[in-house]
Amino acid sequence: MGLGEIFAQSLIELYQQVNWPVDLLVPVPLSADHAWERGYNQSTLLARPLALHLRIPLRPRALRRTRITQAQVGLNAQERRENVSRAFMADPRDVAGKSILILDDVTTTGATMQACAQALRDAGARSVYGLTLARAAHPSPDGDQQP
C-alpha cells in the first residue's frame, strides 16, 4: 500500500502537467477471482492518493469486469485486443455525461485501456482520458523488445 502512495507522486506530477478536465477517477478493475487471490487492486492503490491529492472523486465500482480474461502476458497485440474486448461494463449512473480518467498500473499495447474507454463511452461518458504508471515493452514478431 505504501508503494501506491510513492508511485502516485509521479502520476500527480504528470497529471498536473496535462491538467485534463476530469470529473471522476476510475481504476481499471480486476476480475473478482484476481482481486480475491491478490487481496488488492494495484490500480486502485495508485488511484486513491492521486484522487485525494487532486480532489477528484474516485469511483472504483463505476467500471467492472463482466467476464474473466486470460492473462495478457504472452499474447500479441491482436490477441490482447480480442481477450479484453467487451470484458468491461460501466455504470451509467456514475459516468453518464462525465469526463473520466482511467488509471492503470502498466500498459503494453493499450488494449485494456481501450476496452475500458469503450465501456465508459457506451455508458454515456462525455470524454475519457487514460493514465498509466508504466509502459511495458513487448516482443515484436521477430522476438526483439519494442517500447
Side-chain angles (χ1 to χ4, degrees):
M1 289 180 69
L3 287 176
E5 292 182 24
I6 291 168
F7 288 134
Q9 293 305 310
S10 296
L11 295 170
I12 290 166
E13 291 172 18
L14 178 58
Y15 181 84
Q16 289 173 329
Q17 290 174 23
V18 295
N19 198 28
W20 293 317
V22 298
D23 302 310
L24 293 176
L25 178 55
V26 177
V28 170
L30 294 176
S31 70
D33 289 348
H34 284 126
W36 182 85
E37 188 177 290
R38 186 174 289 154
Y40 61 91
N41 177 340
Q42 64 279 7
S43 295
T44 301
L45 292 180
L46 292 167
R48 204 168 267 128
L50 179 65
L52 284 171
H53 184 83
L54 299 174
R55 297 186 177 154
I56 300 170
L58 175 63
R59 296 288 185 273
R61 291 186 175 87
L63 187 63
R64 64 180 175 86
R65 283 191 186 249
T66 57
R67 63 181 174 80
I68 297 172
T69 56
Q70 72 181 81
Q72 298 276 70
V73 175
L75 301 180
N76 66 34
Q78 179 61 33
E79 292 167 333
R80 286 170 182 255
R81 282 190 295 277
E82 291 170 5
N83 186 40
V84 294
S85 176
R86 301 286 175 200
F88 301 94
M89 181 177 283
D91 188 335
R93 294 172 297 185
D94 286 328
V95 304
K98 299 212 168 81
S99 180
I100 311 294
L101 175 60
I102 306 169
L103 182 70
D104 204 359
D105 60 338
V106 177
T107 190
T108 304
T109 63
T112 299
M113 191 75 73
Q114 289 173 353
C116 289
Q118 186 62 56
L120 290 162
R121 286 190 301 270
D122 289 348
R126 183 177 69 244
S127 56
V128 180
Y129 300 88
L131 189 61
T132 184
L133 177 65
R135 170 79 192 238
H138 60 93
S140 67
D142 61 5
D144 291 336
Q145 290 291 316
Q146 298 294 314

